Coordinates of all heavy atoms in Angstrom, one line a residue:
Q1 N -41.9 65.3 71.4 CA -41.5 65.0 70.0 C -41.0 63.6 69.9 O -41.4 62.9 68.9 CB -40.5 66.0 69.5 CG -40.0 65.9 68.1 CD -41.1 66.2 67.1 OE1 -42.1 67.0 67.3 NE2 -41.1 65.6 66.0
N2 N -40.1 63.1 70.8 CA -39.6 61.8 70.7 C -40.7 60.7 70.8 O -40.6 59.7 70.1 CB -38.5 61.5 71.7 CG -37.2 62.3 71.4 OD1 -37.0 62.7 70.3 ND2 -36.4 62.6 72.4
V3 N -41.6 61.0 71.7 CA -42.7 60.1 71.9 C -43.6 60.0 70.6 O -44.0 58.9 70.1 CB -43.6 60.5 73.1 CG1 -44.9 59.6 73.1 CG2 -42.9 60.4 74.4
T4 N -43.8 61.1 70.0 CA -44.6 61.2 68.7 C -43.9 60.4 67.7 O -44.5 59.7 66.9 CB -44.8 62.6 68.3 OG1 -45.5 63.4 69.4 CG2 -45.6 62.7 67.1
D5 N -42.6 60.6 67.5 CA -41.8 59.9 66.6 C -41.8 58.4 66.8 O -42.0 57.6 65.9 CB -40.3 60.3 66.5 CG -40.2 61.8 65.9 OD1 -41.2 62.3 65.2 OD2 -39.2 62.4 66.2
A6 N -41.8 58.0 68.0 CA -41.7 56.6 68.4 C -43.1 56.0 68.1 O -43.1 54.8 67.5 CB -41.4 56.4 69.8
V7 N -44.1 56.7 68.4 CA -45.5 56.2 68.1 C -45.7 56.0 66.5 O -46.2 55.0 66.0 CB -46.6 57.0 68.7 CG1 -47.9 56.7 68.2 CG2 -46.6 56.9 70.2
M8 N -45.2 57.0 65.8 CA -45.3 57.0 64.3 C -44.6 55.7 63.8 O -45.1 55.0 62.9 CB -44.8 58.2 63.7 CG -45.7 59.4 63.8 SD -47.2 59.2 62.9 CE -46.7 59.2 61.2
T9 N -43.3 55.5 64.3 CA -42.5 54.5 63.7 C -43.0 53.1 64.2 O -43.0 52.2 63.4 CB -41.0 54.7 64.3 OG1 -40.6 56.0 63.8 CG2 -40.1 53.6 63.7
T10 N -43.4 53.0 65.4 CA -43.7 51.7 65.9 C -45.2 51.3 65.8 O -45.5 50.0 65.8 CB -43.3 51.4 67.4 OG1 -44.0 52.4 68.2 CG2 -41.8 51.7 67.6
V11 N -46.0 52.2 65.7 CA -47.5 51.8 65.7 C -48.2 52.3 64.3 O -48.7 51.5 63.5 CB -48.3 52.6 66.8 CG1 -49.8 52.2 66.7 CG2 -47.6 52.0 68.2
I12 N -48.1 53.6 64.0 CA -48.8 54.1 62.9 C -48.3 53.6 61.5 O -49.1 53.1 60.7 CB -48.8 55.7 62.9 CG1 -49.3 56.2 64.3 CG2 -49.6 56.2 61.7 CD1 -50.8 56.0 64.5
E13 N -47.0 53.7 61.3 CA -46.4 53.3 60.1 C -46.6 51.8 59.7 O -47.1 51.4 58.6 CB -45.0 53.6 60.0 CG -44.7 55.1 59.8 CD -43.2 55.5 59.8 OE1 -42.4 54.6 59.8 OE2 -42.9 56.7 59.8
P14 N -46.5 50.8 60.6 CA -46.8 49.5 60.4 C -48.3 49.3 60.1 O -48.6 48.4 59.1 CB -46.4 48.7 61.7 CG -45.4 49.6 62.3 CD -45.8 51.0 61.9
I15 N -49.2 49.9 60.7 CA -50.6 49.8 60.4 C -50.9 50.3 59.0 O -51.6 49.6 58.2 CB -51.5 50.6 61.5 CG1 -51.4 49.9 62.8 CG2 -52.9 50.7 61.0 CD1 -52.1 50.6 63.9
I16 N -50.3 51.4 58.6 CA -50.5 52.0 57.3 C -50.0 51.0 56.2 O -50.6 50.6 55.2 CB -49.9 53.4 57.1 CG1 -50.7 54.4 58.0 CG2 -49.8 53.8 55.7 CD1 -50.0 55.7 58.1
K17 N -48.8 50.4 56.5 CA -48.2 49.4 55.5 C -49.1 48.2 55.4 O -49.3 47.7 54.3 CB -46.8 49.1 56.0 CG -45.8 50.2 55.8 CD -44.4 49.7 56.2 CE -43.4 50.9 56.0 NZ -42.1 50.6 56.5
E18 N -49.7 47.7 56.5 CA -50.5 46.6 56.5 C -51.8 46.9 55.7 O -52.2 46.0 54.9 CB -50.8 46.1 57.9 CG -51.7 44.9 58.0 CD -51.0 43.6 57.5 OE1 -49.8 43.5 57.6 OE2 -51.8 42.7 57.1
C19 N -52.3 48.0 55.9 CA -53.6 48.3 55.2 C -53.3 48.5 53.7 O -54.1 48.1 52.9 CB -54.1 49.6 55.8 SG -54.9 49.5 57.4
A20 N -52.2 49.1 53.4 CA -51.9 49.2 52.0 C -51.7 47.9 51.3 O -52.1 47.6 50.2 CB -50.6 50.1 51.8
S21 N -51.0 47.0 52.0 CA -50.8 45.6 51.6 C -52.0 44.9 51.4 O -52.3 44.2 50.3 CB -49.9 44.9 52.5 OG -49.6 43.5 52.1
T22 N -53.0 45.0 52.3 CA -54.2 44.3 52.2 C -55.1 44.9 51.0 O -55.7 44.2 50.3 CB -55.1 44.5 53.5 OG1 -54.3 43.9 54.6 CG2 -56.4 43.9 53.4
F23 N -55.0 46.2 50.9 CA -55.8 46.9 49.8 C -55.2 46.5 48.4 O -55.9 46.1 47.5 CB -55.6 48.4 49.9 CG -56.2 49.1 48.7 CD1 -57.6 49.2 48.6 CD2 -55.4 49.7 47.7 CE1 -58.2 49.8 47.5 CE2 -56.0 50.3 46.6 CZ -57.4 50.4 46.5
L24 N -53.9 46.3 48.4 CA -53.2 45.9 47.0 C -53.6 44.5 46.7 O -54.0 44.2 45.6 CB -51.7 46.1 47.2 CG -50.9 45.6 46.0 CD1 -51.3 46.5 44.8 CD2 -49.4 45.6 46.3
A25 N -53.6 43.6 47.8 CA -54.0 42.3 47.5 C -55.4 42.2 47.0 O -55.8 41.4 46.1 CB -53.8 41.4 48.7
Q26 N -56.3 42.9 47.7 CA -57.7 42.9 47.3 C -58.0 43.5 45.9 O -58.8 42.9 45.2 CB -58.6 43.6 48.3 CG -58.6 42.9 49.7 CD -59.4 43.8 50.8 OE1 -59.6 44.9 50.6 NE2 -59.7 43.0 51.8
S27 N -57.2 44.5 45.6 CA -57.4 45.1 44.3 C -56.9 44.2 43.2 O -57.2 44.3 42.0 CB -56.7 46.5 44.2 OG -55.2 46.3 44.3
R28 N -56.0 43.2 43.5 CA -55.4 42.3 42.5 C -56.2 41.0 42.5 O -55.9 40.2 41.7 CB -54.0 42.0 42.9 CG -53.1 43.2 43.1 CD -52.5 43.8 41.9 NE -51.7 42.8 41.3 CZ -51.0 43.1 40.2 NH1 -51.2 44.3 39.7 NH2 -50.4 42.1 39.5
A29 N -57.2 40.9 43.3 CA -58.0 39.6 43.4 C -58.6 39.2 42.0 O -58.5 37.9 41.7 CB -59.1 39.7 44.4
D30 N -59.1 40.1 41.3 CA -59.6 39.6 39.9 C -58.6 39.1 39.0 O -58.8 38.2 38.3 CB -60.4 40.8 39.3 CG -61.7 41.1 40.0 OD1 -62.2 40.3 40.7 OD2 -62.2 42.2 39.8
V31 N -57.4 39.9 39.0 CA -56.3 39.4 38.1 C -55.8 38.0 38.6 O -55.6 37.1 37.8 CB -55.1 40.4 38.2 CG1 -53.9 39.9 37.5 CG2 -55.6 41.7 37.5
I32 N -55.7 37.8 39.9 CA -55.2 36.5 40.4 C -56.2 35.4 40.1 O -55.8 34.4 39.7 CB -54.9 36.7 41.9 CG1 -53.7 37.6 42.2 CG2 -54.7 35.3 42.6 CD1 -53.6 38.1 43.6
S33 N -57.5 35.7 40.3 CA -58.5 34.7 40.1 C -58.5 34.2 38.6 O -58.5 33.0 38.2 CB -59.9 35.2 40.5 OG -60.0 35.3 41.8
A34 N -58.4 35.2 37.7 CA -58.5 34.9 36.3 C -57.1 34.1 35.8 O -57.2 33.2 35.1 CB -58.5 36.2 35.4
F35 N -56.0 34.5 36.4 CA -54.7 33.9 36.2 C -54.8 32.5 36.6 O -54.5 31.5 35.9 CB -53.7 34.6 36.9 CG -52.3 34.0 36.8 CD1 -51.7 33.7 35.7 CD2 -51.7 33.6 38.1 CE1 -50.4 33.0 35.8 CE2 -50.5 33.0 38.1 CZ -49.8 32.7 36.9
R36 N -55.2 32.2 37.8 CA -55.3 30.9 38.4 C -56.3 30.0 37.6 O -56.0 28.8 37.3 CB -55.7 30.9 39.9 CG -54.5 31.5 40.8 CD -54.8 31.4 42.2 NE -54.9 30.0 42.7 CZ -53.9 29.3 43.1 NH1 -52.7 29.8 43.1 NH2 -54.1 28.1 43.5
L37 N -57.4 30.6 37.3 CA -58.4 29.8 36.5 C -57.9 29.4 35.2 O -58.1 28.2 34.7 CB -59.7 30.6 36.4 CG -60.8 30.0 35.7 CD1 -61.3 28.7 36.5 CD2 -62.0 30.9 35.6
Q38 N -57.2 30.3 34.5 CA -56.6 30.0 33.2 C -55.6 28.8 33.3 O -55.6 28.0 32.5 CB -55.9 31.2 32.6 CG -55.3 31.1 31.3 CD -54.7 32.3 30.7 OE1 -54.5 33.3 31.4 NE2 -54.3 32.3 29.4
C39 N -54.7 28.9 34.3 CA -53.7 27.9 34.5 C -54.4 26.5 34.9 O -54.0 25.4 34.4 CB -52.7 28.3 35.6 SG -51.7 29.6 35.1
E40 N -55.3 26.6 35.8 CA -56.0 25.4 36.3 C -56.8 24.7 35.2 O -56.9 23.4 35.2 CB -56.8 25.7 37.5 CG -56.0 26.0 38.8 CD -56.8 26.4 40.0 OE1 -58.0 26.6 39.8 OE2 -56.2 26.6 41.0
S41 N -57.3 25.5 34.3 CA -58.1 24.9 33.2 C -57.2 24.0 32.3 O -57.8 23.2 31.4 CB -58.8 25.9 32.4 OG -57.8 26.7 31.6
L42 N -55.8 24.1 32.4 CA -55.0 23.2 31.6 C -55.0 21.8 32.0 O -54.6 20.9 31.3 CB -53.6 23.7 31.6 CG -53.3 25.2 31.0 CD1 -51.9 25.6 31.3 CD2 -53.7 25.2 29.6
A43 N -55.4 21.6 33.3 CA -55.3 20.3 33.9 C -56.4 19.3 33.3 O -57.5 19.8 33.0 CB -55.6 20.3 35.4
T44 N -56.1 18.0 33.1 CA -56.9 17.0 32.6 C -57.3 16.0 33.7 O -58.2 15.2 33.5 CB -56.4 16.3 31.4 OG1 -55.2 15.7 31.8 CG2 -56.2 17.3 30.3
N45 N -56.7 16.1 34.8 CA -57.0 15.2 36.0 C -56.5 15.8 37.3 O -55.9 16.9 37.3 CB -56.3 13.9 35.8 CG -54.8 13.9 35.6 OD1 -54.1 14.5 36.4 ND2 -54.3 13.3 34.6
G46 N -56.9 15.2 38.4 CA -56.6 15.7 39.7 C -55.0 15.8 40.0 O -54.6 16.8 40.6
E47 N -54.3 14.8 39.4 CA -52.8 14.9 39.6 C -52.3 16.1 39.0 O -51.4 16.9 39.6 CB -52.2 13.6 39.1 CG -50.7 13.6 39.4 CD -50.1 12.3 38.7 OE1 -50.8 11.2 38.7 OE2 -48.9 12.4 38.3
E48 N -52.7 16.4 37.7 CA -52.2 17.6 37.0 C -52.6 18.9 37.8 O -51.8 19.8 37.9 CB -52.7 17.6 35.6 CG -52.0 16.7 34.7 CD -52.5 16.6 33.3 OE1 -53.4 17.4 32.9 OE2 -52.0 15.9 32.5
L49 N -53.8 18.9 38.3 CA -54.3 20.1 39.0 C -53.5 20.3 40.2 O -53.1 21.5 40.5 CB -55.9 19.9 39.3 CG -56.4 21.1 40.0 CD1 -56.5 22.3 39.1 CD2 -57.9 20.8 40.4
Q50 N -53.2 19.3 41.0 CA -52.3 19.5 42.1 C -51.0 20.1 41.8 O -50.4 21.0 42.4 CB -52.1 18.2 42.9 CG -53.4 17.8 43.7 CD -53.1 16.5 44.4 OE1 -52.3 15.7 44.0 NE2 -53.8 16.3 45.5
W51 N -50.4 19.5 40.7 CA -49.1 20.0 40.2 C -49.2 21.5 39.8 O -48.3 22.2 40.2 CB -48.6 19.1 39.1 CG -47.3 19.6 38.5 CD1 -46.0 19.3 39.0 CD2 -47.1 20.4 37.4 NE1 -45.1 19.9 38.2 CE2 -45.7 20.5 37.2 CE3 -47.9 20.9 36.4 CZ2 -45.1 21.3 36.2 CZ3 -47.4 21.7 35.4 CH2 -46.0 21.9 35.3
I52 N -50.2 21.8 39.0 CA -50.3 23.2 38.6 C -50.5 24.1 39.8 O -49.9 25.2 39.9 CB -51.6 23.3 37.7 CG1 -51.2 22.7 36.3 CG2 -52.0 24.8 37.5 CD1 -52.5 22.6 35.4
R53 N -51.3 23.7 40.8 CA -51.5 24.6 42.0 C -50.2 24.8 42.7 O -49.9 25.9 43.3 CB -52.6 24.0 42.9 CG -54.0 24.2 42.3 CD -55.0 23.6 43.2 NE -56.3 23.9 42.6 CZ -57.4 23.3 42.9 NH1 -57.4 22.3 43.9 NH2 -58.6 23.6 42.4
R54 N -49.3 23.8 42.8 CA -48.0 24.0 43.4 C -47.2 25.0 42.6 O -46.5 25.8 43.2 CB -47.3 22.6 43.5 CG -47.7 21.8 44.6 CD -46.8 20.6 45.0 NE -46.6 19.7 43.8 CZ -47.4 18.7 43.5 NH1 -48.4 18.3 44.3 NH2 -47.2 17.9 42.5
E55 N -47.3 24.9 41.3 CA -46.5 25.8 40.4 C -47.1 27.2 40.5 O -46.2 28.2 40.3 CB -46.6 25.4 39.0 CG -45.9 24.0 38.6 CD -44.4 24.1 38.7 OE1 -43.8 25.0 38.1 OE2 -43.8 23.2 39.4
L56 N -48.3 27.4 40.8 CA -48.9 28.7 41.0 C -48.6 29.4 42.2 O -48.8 30.7 42.4 CB -50.4 28.5 40.8 CG -50.9 28.3 39.4 CD1 -52.4 28.0 39.4 CD2 -50.7 29.5 38.5
H57 N -48.1 28.7 43.3 CA -47.9 29.3 44.6 C -47.1 30.6 44.5 O -47.5 31.7 44.9 CB -47.3 28.3 45.6 CG -47.1 29.0 46.9 ND1 -48.1 29.2 47.8 CD2 -45.9 29.4 47.5 CE1 -47.6 29.8 48.9 NE2 -46.3 29.9 48.7
I58 N -45.9 30.5 44.0 CA -45.0 31.7 44.0 C -45.5 32.8 43.1 O -45.6 34.0 43.6 CB -43.5 31.3 43.6 CG1 -42.9 30.4 44.8 CG2 -42.7 32.5 43.4 CD1 -41.6 29.8 44.5
P59 N -45.9 32.6 41.9 CA -46.4 33.7 41.1 C -47.7 34.3 41.7 O -47.9 35.5 41.7 CB -46.8 33.1 39.7 CG -46.4 31.7 39.8 CD -45.8 31.3 41.1
T60 N -48.5 33.5 42.4 CA -49.7 34.1 43.1 C -49.3 35.0 44.2 O -49.8 36.1 44.3 CB -50.6 33.0 43.6 OG1 -51.0 32.2 42.5 CG2 -51.8 33.5 44.3
M61 N -48.3 34.6 45.0 CA -47.9 35.4 46.1 C -47.2 36.7 45.6 O -47.4 37.8 46.1 CB -46.9 34.6 47.0 CG -47.4 33.4 47.7 SD -49.0 33.7 48.6 CE -48.4 34.8 49.9
E62 N -46.5 36.6 44.5 CA -45.9 37.8 43.9 C -46.9 38.8 43.4 O -46.7 39.9 43.5 CB -44.9 37.4 42.8 CG -43.7 36.7 43.3 CD -42.7 36.2 42.1 OE1 -43.2 36.1 41.0 OE2 -41.6 35.8 42.5
L63 N -48.1 38.2 42.8 CA -49.1 39.1 42.3 C -49.7 39.8 43.6 O -50.0 41.0 43.5 CB -50.1 38.3 41.6 CG -49.7 37.9 40.2 CD1 -50.7 36.9 39.6 CD2 -49.5 39.2 39.3
R64 N -49.9 39.1 44.6 CA -50.5 39.7 45.8 C -49.7 40.8 46.4 O -50.2 41.7 47.0 CB -50.8 38.6 46.9 CG -51.9 37.7 46.6 CD -52.3 36.9 47.7 NE -53.4 36.0 47.4 CZ -53.5 34.7 47.5 NH1 -52.4 34.1 48.0 NH2 -54.6 34.0 47.2
Q65 N -48.4 40.7 46.2 CA -47.4 41.7 46.7 C -47.3 42.8 45.7 O -46.5 43.8 46.0 CB -46.1 41.0 47.0 CG -46.1 40.0 48.1 CD -44.9 39.2 48.2 OE1 -44.0 39.4 47.4 NE2 -44.9 38.3 49.2
G66 N -48.0 42.8 44.6 CA -47.9 43.9 43.6 C -47.0 43.8 42.5 O -46.7 44.7 41.8
H67 N -46.4 42.6 42.3 CA -45.4 42.4 41.2 C -46.0 42.6 39.9 O -47.3 42.5 39.8 CB -44.8 41.1 41.4 CG -43.7 41.0 42.5 ND1 -42.5 40.6 42.3 CD2 -43.8 41.3 43.8 CE1 -41.8 40.6 43.4 NE2 -42.6 41.0 44.4
D68 N -45.4 42.9 38.9 CA -45.8 43.2 37.6 C -46.6 41.9 37.0 O -46.2 40.8 37.2 CB -44.6 43.4 36.6 CG -45.0 43.7 35.2 OD1 -46.2 44.1 35.0 OD2 -44.2 43.8 34.3
S69 N -47.7 42.2 36.4 CA -48.6 41.1 35.9 C -48.4 41.0 34.3 O -49.2 40.2 33.7 CB -50.0 41.3 36.3 OG -50.5 42.5 35.8
S70 N -47.5 41.7 33.7 CA -47.4 41.7 32.3 C -46.9 40.3 31.7 O -47.1 40.1 30.5 CB -46.6 42.8 31.8 OG -45.3 42.7 32.3
N71 N -46.3 39.6 32.5 CA -45.7 38.3 32.0 C -46.5 37.0 32.3 O -46.1 35.9 32.2 CB -44.3 38.1 32.7 CG -43.3 39.0 32.2 OD1 -43.3 39.6 31.1 ND2 -42.3 39.4 33.1
L72 N -47.8 37.3 32.7 CA -48.7 36.2 33.0 C -48.9 35.2 31.8 O -48.9 34.0 31.9 CB -50.0 36.6 33.6 CG -49.9 37.4 34.9 CD1 -51.3 37.8 35.4 CD2 -49.2 36.6 36.0
D73 N -49.1 35.8 30.6 CA -49.3 35.0 29.4 C -48.0 34.0 29.2 O -48.2 33.0 28.7 CB -49.5 35.9 28.2 CG -51.0 36.4 28.3 OD1 -51.9 35.9 28.9 OD2 -51.2 37.5 27.6
V74 N -46.9 34.6 29.4 CA -45.6 33.9 29.2 C -45.6 32.7 30.2 O -45.2 31.6 29.9 CB -44.4 34.8 29.4 CG1 -43.1 33.9 29.4 CG2 -44.3 35.8 28.3
F75 N -46.0 33.0 31.4 CA -46.0 31.9 32.5 C -47.0 30.9 32.1 O -46.7 29.7 32.3 CB -46.4 32.6 33.9 CG -46.4 31.5 35.0 CD1 -45.3 31.2 35.7 CD2 -47.7 30.8 35.2 CE1 -45.3 30.2 36.7 CE2 -47.7 29.9 36.2 CZ -46.5 29.6 36.9
V76 N -48.2 31.2 31.6 CA -49.2 30.2 31.3 C -48.7 29.4 30.1 O -48.8 28.1 30.1 CB -50.5 30.9 30.9 CG1 -51.5 29.9 30.3 CG2 -51.2 31.6 32.0
H77 N -48.0 30.0 29.1 CA -47.4 29.3 28.0 C -46.4 28.3 28.5 O -46.4 27.2 28.1 CB -46.9 30.3 27.0 CG -46.2 29.7 25.9 ND1 -46.9 29.0 24.8 CD2 -44.9 29.5 25.5 CE1 -46.1 28.5 23.9 NE2 -44.9 28.8 24.3
D78 N -45.5 28.8 29.3 CA -44.4 27.9 29.9 C -45.0 26.7 30.7 O -44.5 25.6 30.7 CB -43.4 28.8 30.7 CG -42.6 29.7 29.9 OD1 -42.5 29.6 28.6 OD2 -41.9 30.6 30.5
L79 N -46.0 27.1 31.5 CA -46.6 26.0 32.3 C -47.2 24.9 31.4 O -47.1 23.8 31.7 CB -47.8 26.7 33.2 CG -48.5 25.8 34.1 CD1 -47.5 25.3 35.2 CD2 -49.7 26.5 34.7
N80 N -47.9 25.4 30.3 CA -48.5 24.5 29.4 C -47.4 23.6 28.7 O -47.6 22.4 28.6 CB -49.3 25.2 28.3 CG -50.1 24.2 27.4 OD1 -50.8 23.3 28.0 ND2 -50.2 24.5 26.2
D81 N -46.3 24.2 28.4 CA -45.2 23.4 27.8 C -44.6 22.4 28.8 O -44.4 21.2 28.5 CB -44.0 24.3 27.4 CG -44.3 25.1 26.2 OD1 -45.3 24.8 25.4 OD2 -43.6 26.1 25.8
K82 N -44.5 22.7 30.1 CA -44.0 21.8 31.2 C -45.0 20.7 31.3 O -44.7 19.6 31.5 CB -43.8 22.6 32.5 CG -42.7 23.4 32.5 CD -42.6 24.1 33.9 CE -41.5 25.2 34.0 NZ -41.5 25.9 35.3
L83 N -46.3 21.0 31.3 CA -47.4 20.1 31.4 C -47.3 19.0 30.3 O -47.5 17.9 30.5 CB -48.7 20.8 31.5 CG -49.9 19.9 31.9 CD1 -49.7 19.2 33.3 CD2 -51.2 20.8 32.1
E84 N -47.1 19.5 29.1 CA -47.1 18.7 27.9 C -45.9 17.7 28.0 O -46.0 16.5 27.7 CB -47.0 19.4 26.6 CG -48.3 20.2 26.2 CD -49.5 19.2 25.9 OE1 -49.2 18.1 25.3 OE2 -50.6 19.5 26.3
T85 N -44.7 18.2 28.5 CA -43.6 17.4 28.7 C -43.9 16.3 29.7 O -43.5 15.2 29.6 CB -42.4 18.3 29.2 OG1 -42.1 19.2 28.1 CG2 -41.2 17.5 29.4
K86 N -44.6 16.7 30.9 CA -44.9 15.8 31.9 C -45.8 14.6 31.3 O -45.7 13.5 31.6 CB -45.6 16.4 33.1 CG -44.8 17.0 34.1 CD -45.5 17.7 35.2 CE -46.3 16.7 36.0 NZ -45.4 15.9 37.0
R87 N -46.8 15.1 30.5 CA -47.7 14.1 29.9 C -47.0 13.1 29.0 O -47.3 12.0 29.1 CB -48.8 14.8 29.1 CG -49.8 15.6 29.9 CD -50.8 16.3 29.1 NE -51.7 17.1 30.0 CZ -52.3 18.2 29.7 NH1 -52.1 18.7 28.5 NH2 -53.2 18.8 30.5
K88 N -46.0 13.7 28.2 CA -45.3 12.8 27.3 C -44.4 11.7 28.1 O -44.4 10.6 27.8 CB -44.4 13.6 26.4 CG -45.2 14.3 25.3 CD -44.3 15.1 24.4 CE -45.2 15.9 23.5 NZ -44.4 16.9 22.7
H89 N -43.8 12.3 29.2 CA -43.0 11.4 30.1 C -43.9 10.4 30.7 O -43.5 9.2 30.8 CB -42.3 12.4 31.1 CG -41.5 11.5 32.1 ND1 -40.3 10.9 31.8 CD2 -41.8 11.2 33.4 CE1 -39.9 10.3 32.8 NE2 -40.8 10.4 33.8
N90 N -45.0 10.8 31.3 CA -45.9 9.9 31.9 C -46.5 8.8 30.9 O -46.7 7.6 31.3 CB -47.1 10.6 32.6 CG -46.6 11.3 33.8 OD1 -45.5 11.1 34.3 ND2 -47.4 12.2 34.3
A91 N -46.8 9.3 29.7 CA -47.3 8.3 28.7 C -46.2 7.3 28.3 O -46.5 6.1 28.1 CB -47.7 9.1 27.4
G92 N -44.9 7.8 28.3 CA -43.8 6.8 28.1 C -43.7 5.8 29.2 O -43.4 4.6 28.9
E93 N -43.9 6.2 30.4 CA -43.9 5.3 31.5 C -45.0 4.3 31.5 O -44.9 3.2 31.7 CB -43.9 6.1 32.9 CG -42.7 6.7 33.3 CD -42.7 7.5 34.6 OE1 -43.9 7.5 35.2 OE2 -41.7 8.0 35.0
S94 N -46.2 4.8 31.0 CA -47.4 3.9 30.9 C -47.1 2.8 29.9 O -47.5 1.6 30.1 CB -48.6 4.7 30.5 OG -49.0 5.6 31.5
V95 N -46.5 3.2 28.8 CA -46.1 2.2 27.8 C -45.2 1.2 28.3 O -45.4 0.0 28.1 CB -45.5 2.9 26.5 CG1 -45.0 1.9 25.5 CG2 -46.6 3.8 25.8
L96 N -44.2 1.6 29.0 CA -43.3 0.7 29.6 C -43.9 -0.3 30.6 O -43.5 -1.5 30.6 CB -42.1 1.5 30.4 CG -41.2 2.2 29.5 CD1 -40.2 3.0 30.4 CD2 -40.3 1.3 28.6
C97 N -44.8 0.3 31.3 CA -45.6 -0.6 32.4 C -46.4 -1.6 31.7 O -46.5 -2.8 32.1 CB -46.4 0.2 33.3 SG -45.3 1.3 34.4
T98 N -47.1 -1.3 30.6 CA -47.9 -2.2 29.9 C -47.2 -3.3 29.1 O -47.7 -4.3 28.8 CB -49.0 -1.5 29.1 OG1 -48.3 -0.7 28.1 CG2 -49.9 -0.6 29.9
T99 N -46.0 -3.0 28.7 CA -45.3 -4.0 27.9 C -44.4 -5.0 28.7 O -43.9 -5.9 28.1 CB -44.3 -3.2 26.9 OG1 -43.4 -2.4 27.6 CG2 -45.1 -2.4 25.9
E100 N -44.3 -4.7 30.0 CA -43.6 -5.6 30.8 C -44.3 -6.9 31.1 O -45.4 -7.0 31.2 CB -43.1 -4.9 32.1 CG -42.1 -3.8 31.8 CD -41.7 -3.1 33.1 OE1 -42.2 -3.5 34.2 OE2 -40.9 -2.2 33.0

């Protein structure tokens, strides 16, 4: 009995958890792809795309782990707001550089 319990705890249960995790990530692939594509489409240049991809890292990992996807539209909206702020800031820097 003790050997059976030990095998279950140390071998079988971790394998089941790993398989479930892999299945969950695969089942979320369409949601993740659509989400990333929607966010990445906000970029107008390579620098913005890199910045967006860095911002996407944590929410993408959370989605793969099965976290709720109901707030994705809010994330995209907030990301767009941050991107607009960055653009305005960068435009202000460009004006300063050209007037010097």
